[in-house]
Amino acid sequence: MSDTTSSELPNAARDGRLSYAIFQLARAHRAHAAAMLRALNLHPGQELLLMQLFDHDGQTQAELLERVGLDHSTVSKSLRRMQEAGLLTREPAPHDRRVMVVSLTDTGRALEEPIADMWRTLEQISVRDLPPDQVEMFTTCAHTIEKSLRDAGQQVPVR
């Protein structure tokens, strides 16, 4: 796939240059992260669930859903795969057998440092040509854009 610069924007994206740049950035970042995750025998998104469990082991599946912001079917499928890979266990909660508690196994816990290293390396690659003040400014802008999108809700304007 060719490198798309701002001068090569599709005509339909001309009035959405920032949005198109975000799309291109997210696609490139996700692809690089996915390759790094494959080296750890993980699928994209599984590291997000593991990171939540590294910080708060023994969460319910509903708590994980809320923290990672993914849909139920995606999380359920990921957790099933991760359980089959021996990274975690899912057991009914003592207080309510319908509630599933998700806990790391030793194998899952052992991925904490490799995942931290992966994110650190991905960060270094991502910002290698940016001075620290631009990294800070970009991070602030990204959070502002994310909040704007969250505040707009799920409504997609159609003209």
Side-chain angles (χ1 to χ4, degrees):
M1 183 160 294
S2 67
D3 182 25
T4 304
T5 64
S6 59
S7 64
E8 299 173 8
L9 281 172
N11 286 334
R14 188 177 48 246
D15 294 330
R17 289 177 48 219
L18 175 74
S19 295
Y20 194 77
I22 290 169
F23 169 79
Q24 293 289 83
L25 170 62
R27 186 171 64 178
H29 193 270
R30 180 177 168 86
H32 200 86
M36 296 173 83
L37 288 166
R38 277 192 298 276
L40 297 174
N41 294 317
L42 294 172
H43 296 280
Q46 290 180 337
E47 84 284 11
L48 301 176
L49 294 164
L50 288 168
M51 289 190 298
Q52 289 299 321
L53 291 168
F54 296 151
D55 290 347
H56 306 284
D57 199 6
Q59 294 181 56
T60 67
Q61 200 162 315
E63 290 169 329
L64 276 172
L65 275 167
E66 186 176 325
R67 289 193 172 157
V68 295
L70 299 171
D71 66 86
H72 176 56
S73 62
T74 300
V75 171
S76 291
K77 184 178 179 181
S78 290
L79 292 175
R80 181 181 40 78
R81 281 183 174 172
M82 293 165 73
Q83 184 173 6
E84 290 169 359
L87 302 177
L88 54 83
T89 61
R90 292 186 296 169
E91 297 178 351
H95 68 283
D96 185 344
R97 311 265 319 146
R98 296 170 297 176
V99 174
M100 297 302 282
V101 176
V102 182
S103 301
L104 291 167
T105 63
D106 290 342
T107 303
R109 173 72 56 201
L111 287 172
E112 186 169 6
E113 196 53 40
I115 288 174
D117 287 343
M118 185 219 89
W119 278 97
R120 192 172 15 262
T121 301
L122 184 59
E123 181 85 0
Q124 291 167 348
I125 291 166
S126 298
V127 304
R128 71 175 170 225
D129 296 327
L130 295 173
D133 63 321
Q134 286 185 354
V135 173
E136 190 60 38
M137 188 181 341
F138 178 83
T139 303
T140 299
C141 289
H143 288 302
T144 301
I145 293 168
E146 178 191 10
K147 183 183 181 313
S148 295
L149 291 168
R150 258 189 290 110
D151 290 349
Q154 299 299 327
Q155 298 175 3
V156 178
V158 178
R159 291 186 180 190

